[in-house]
Amino acid sequence: MKKILLLTIFTISILNAITWSQLKSWGNKTIEPDVKYNIETEGYNVRVYEFTPVSDPGSTCIMTFTNEKMGMFCFNKSKDALRKEKN
């Protein structure tokens, strides 16, 4: 009985340490953003990440984060940007 109780406590501790989102994305490939930076604003720490989606190399996506909100926008890369990438 004590072994079962200890095993249960151990299992609960592990599950608390690993969030559900970490479990769901355990084997996913991780890519680095093309560019990341902060935007100086009054009262907010806006973090910006620009990346090229793996499934659509002709696009760029921009994600912005504050402590309260998140936003994302994707668009086609310009022909000039695509030429620079190929060189």
Side-chain angles (χ1 to χ4, degrees):
M1 184 68 171
K2 286 183 181 181
K3 288 181 182 180
I4 293 173
L5 181 59
L6 288 174
L7 181 60
T8 303
I9 292 170
F10 179 73
T11 304
I12 290 171
S13 298
I14 289 174
L15 291 177
N16 283 336
I18 301 173
T19 65
W20 179 248
S21 64
Q22 288 173 317
L23 287 172
K24 293 292 286 179
S25 63
W26 193 268
N28 290 358
K29 177 182 178 181
T30 300
I31 61 170
E32 290 295 318
D34 299 334
V35 181
K36 58 185 175 181
Y37 50 91
N38 293 330
I39 297 177
E40 180 63 35
T41 59
E42 189 172 323
Y44 288 99
N45 174 19
V46 180
R47 297 168 315 278
V48 180
Y49 298 87
E50 298 180 17
F51 65 95
T52 301
V54 174
S55 62
D56 188 5
S59 293
T60 293
C61 292
I62 298 175
M63 296 181 76
T64 58
F65 297 88
T66 68
N67 292 340
E68 300 170 359
K69 297 180 181 181
M70 176 268 225
M72 185 169 119
F73 182 72
C74 297
F75 53 91
N76 290 329
K77 290 183 180 182
S78 69
K79 292 179 182 178
D80 290 338
L82 289 173
R83 270 190 236 117
K84 286 179 186 177
E85 228 176 65
K86 290 180 181 179
N87 293 333

